[in-house]
Amino acid sequence: MLRELVDLLTCRELEPEELQSLVAAVDGAAEDPDLDWIEDPSPEELIQNALVFKLAEHIAVGDKIDEVHEQISDFFAEPLADFPRHADGRWFLPDEYFAWLDPLLAERGADGGGYELLLLEDTFSDNLHALLVWRDDSARVVEIATALALRIERSTQRSLGLRPIM
């Protein structure tokens, strides 16, 4: 299941050797010296944090939602619209932003029915970790994550307890 999860989290873009190497690195998180700073972790915590670290080039990370937006936009050849504001100039809160972003991502990419933004919890920072997956794969990602006791969820249905980050 971990192999399928990593494949889906990387939009099935990795060569078989790359995928196998990445899965082995995540699966071997308990022996990874880069993760030995985590005190008394559960196997699920190790995998969760290994995913955050090992998928770094696929993840938009920031402590402010507008920073994450810029990184998400950079994933596309044609950038997204600027970070939205209310008519009175106030910034969008995370939930408002995710609701605004979702239909824009659904229109991107011919394969997989567009994209959907998923959020990965980490146990080591206050940063938001977001990644794009094919919309048609997002339910399966959440299903596998749940089966593996990992914290990955749809941005529009989030419950990770994220604080406003503006």
Side-chain angles (χ1 to χ4, degrees):
M1 284 181 26
L2 185 58
R3 179 182 177 87
E4 181 183 5
L5 179 65
V6 171
D7 195 31
L8 297 176
L9 291 174
T10 58
C11 293
R12 303 176 193 189
E13 294 177 348
L14 300 179
E15 295 295 325
E17 301 80 26
E18 284 180 288
L19 178 61
Q20 185 55 39
S21 176
L22 189 54
V23 170
V26 171
D27 196 33
E31 290 80 40
D32 188 339
D34 291 335
L35 297 175
D36 64 4
W37 55 270
I38 304 172
E39 294 184 31
D40 199 26
S42 68
E44 296 82 12
E45 286 176 300
L46 280 171
I47 291 172
Q48 182 80 33
N49 288 303
L51 285 172
V52 170
F53 283 107
K54 303 302 180 184
L55 294 175
E57 68 184 57
H58 299 274
I59 298 176
V61 180
D63 65 346
K64 294 183 176 70
I65 195 74
D66 61 326
E67 293 173 357
V68 172
H69 173 75
E70 291 301 321
Q71 292 176 43
I72 293 167
S73 185
D74 289 345
F75 286 130
F76 297 104
E78 182 182 324
L80 296 169
D82 290 339
F83 187 84
R85 289 181 180 241
H86 290 280
D88 64 4
R90 288 180 304 115
W91 293 97
F92 272 38
L93 294 174
D95 287 340
E96 295 169 316
Y97 168 72
F98 296 135
W100 170 85
L101 180 65
D102 191 58
L104 298 178
L105 295 178
E107 296 173 356
R108 298 284 178 124
D111 297 335
Y115 291 96
E116 186 167 354
L117 189 70
L118 299 183
L119 305 175
L120 285 78
E121 182 179 90
D122 74 45
T123 60
F124 57 87
S125 78
D126 290 332
N127 286 332
L128 177 66
H129 293 79
L131 59 88
L132 297 170
V133 299
W134 290 116
R135 187 168 292 270
D136 290 349
D137 293 336
S138 59
R140 180 66 180 147
V141 168
V142 172
E143 178 183 336
I144 295 170
T146 300
L148 295 174
L150 302 175
R151 299 282 305 223
I152 301 173
E153 64 187 2
R154 292 174 153 143
S155 63
T156 56
Q157 299 173 344
R158 69 189 183 97
S159 64
L160 293 178
L162 300 172
R163 61 181 172 71
I165 49 179
M166 280 305 302

